[in-house]
Amino acid sequence: MTKKTPHILLVNPWIHDFAAYDFWAKPLGLLTLASILRLHGFSVSYIDCLDRFHPKSLEEASVKRQGRGPYLKTQIPRPKGLEDIPRTFSRYGILPEWFINDLLSIPAPELVFVTSLMTYWYPGVKETIVRIKEVFQDIPVVLGGIYATLCHDHAVSQSGADKIVIGAGEKKILTIAEEITGFSSALLFKPEDLDTYPYPAFDLQRKISYIPLLTTKGCPFSCAYCASHFLNPEISRRSPDSIVNEICYWHETFGIMDFAFYDDALLIDPGNHAVPLLEGIINKSVNVRFHTPNALHIREISKKTASLMFNAGFKTLRLGLETVSFDKRSDLDKKVKAEEFQQAVSYLKEAGFNKNQVGAYLLVGLPGQSITDIELAVKTVQKSGITPVPAYYTPIPHTALWNRAVKSSRYDLESDPVFTNNAILPCWREAFSWKDISYIKKIVRGE
Ligand code: SF4
């Protein structure tokens, strides 16, 4: 049965945290859902609570540092249980009254989709849903995304949403939309074939300052601290040609210069994926910049992939080193040996990358980790001639390390996701200390 085109609203919620910054962070999944709905005849609106370019923004919304930039922030009370943390807590994003005005300025939707990211950001999701329901009292709100998937029961009881979607929404969205609106149309893409998806609806944003790309869903590894295998149990890939075409489309149609790969496994099986992709980019002579805010697998960095990345225009590389306790890492991951790391760094340097372009992520705040371990890791990376980048450990449910994290934490991690905030080093027994954080920052700066 079909009826008049229904209107669906998609919302990217606020972040409540001690710190947040737009490091090429866009709700790629939500904007993919928007494009699927649009392709199938729905009318869609999009409101981004993190919009750095909102016309009412008090700060000048400038495109800074290759598309990245700060969010507007408003100080709010710290969550219950974290009152003693000596750091300012904020709502990141537009002011609530602007959000309300934006909601009032669109036709009433028949359905609202809200996404979610970090588990400990759920208070921002909850506040977003409260505001939506103030304006659209009887409209169903559906919540999906990472928090909704990892903390399903918590989301059911705490988020305020009417329905929680677990896992990839792309395969479920049309069914949900049909159930609620009664509108249906023939399927115009194959949910199991990423090449048939419409491009994410980045054009719904007020300004497109960069484009995130996801060329592979999932990862073949199962690192103890990572939920990739839970969030994307199957690996699926786009073809190199379709990715090159998308890059050309955004560059030629919207003048986009910066592209961020969100992949967990960009370099895995390079002969069939990264190599033809990078060669395709080079052959098209598209003069744009690429960034890999998600870590690259060090083992797959060869002379060839390093040189292709450099020639294709990669400007910011992050490597997944995580720790230099190479002999003790088997219970964490199977990422890399000391000599493989050194070899990869020399390939990147030979290819032309400099110290500021290449950073190695180092996990900070693992259960049982000492400052000495971190010091050693930082020094090893510095000695290799690239930049150490601390990645503060977030305990995540459904990961192998979760139980150890719960046992080692000074908080009851299972009682509330706010206690898993990596800014408070939740798995260190000692209380949060600025001294530790300042010391880590100092050694990272090489002081
Ligand atoms: S940390 Fe990286 S390599 Fe390990 S499972 Fe997650 S995405 Fe894969």
Side-chain angles (χ1 to χ4, degrees), residues 219 221-223 225-226 228 264 297 335:
C219 174
F221 300 104
S222 303
C223 301
Y225 41 79
C226 176
S228 178
D264 287 335
H297 289 100
K335 273 186 179 162

